[in-house]
Amino acid sequence: MVNYYDKHKFVSKKLLAELAGVSARTFSRYINSRRHILDAMGVKPNARLLPPQAVKYICEDYCIDLPQELQDPQVINKSPMYKKIIREIQLGTFFEGEWMKITEIPHDF
């Protein structure tokens, strides 16, 4: 999954730990190992909510897939990769023995 970060949403460390599938203590140790990077972003050690740029860094570094509700749907619609995939699917899809043109594709396909 590709994450389309919402630049207005702060995410808790607890939620990121759950999404990563690790305990809060393990996640805290990971955060502490990246303290120099997070300090440069302005994230305080005792912050419970992480700003969007820190969430983006952590998700990319720890390989965390954000759920749809934490992503920005407008960015998804404008993404060149999303548009290319949709175009390829719309050009022709083999379904039940024949080629069909798809006109609408939900975001959670």
Side-chain angles (χ1 to χ4, degrees):
M1 170 188 276
V2 175
N3 291 319
Y4 296 97
Y5 306 95
D6 191 334
K7 61 183 179 180
H8 304 292
K9 287 190 180 177
F10 284 61
V11 180
S12 71
K13 289 179 185 176
K14 182 179 177 182
L15 178 58
L16 285 175
E18 289 173 11
L19 293 172
V22 297
S23 69
R25 181 165 165 78
T26 299
F27 193 73
S28 178
R29 284 192 303 245
Y30 161 76
I31 293 286
N32 289 336
S33 72
R34 304 300 193 269
R35 179 58 33 215
H36 61 285
I37 297 168
L38 296 174
D39 285 342
M41 291 181 188
V43 179
K44 296 185 179 186
N46 60 350
R48 291 184 185 201
L49 294 176
L50 297 172
Q53 71 270 17
V55 173
K56 180 178 180 179
Y57 168 74
I58 290 169
C59 287
E60 289 173 357
D61 190 49
Y62 210 83
C63 298
I64 299 172
D65 289 333
L66 290 176
Q68 194 72 26
E69 60 270 9
L70 293 178
Q71 299 189 40
D72 189 352
Q74 290 179 350
V75 174
I76 294 172
N77 292 336
K78 294 177 184 175
S79 165
M81 184 169 67
Y82 178 78
K83 287 180 180 180
K84 183 177 188 246
I85 291 170
I86 296 302
R87 182 74 179 138
E88 292 293 324
I89 292 172
Q90 287 176 338
L91 287 175
T93 301
F94 195 73
F95 183 68
E96 293 184 359
E98 56 185 81
W99 288 96
M100 304 178 77
K101 183 175 180 178
I102 307 296
T103 55
E104 285 189 31
I105 299 174
H107 288 294
D108 59 350
F109 72 96

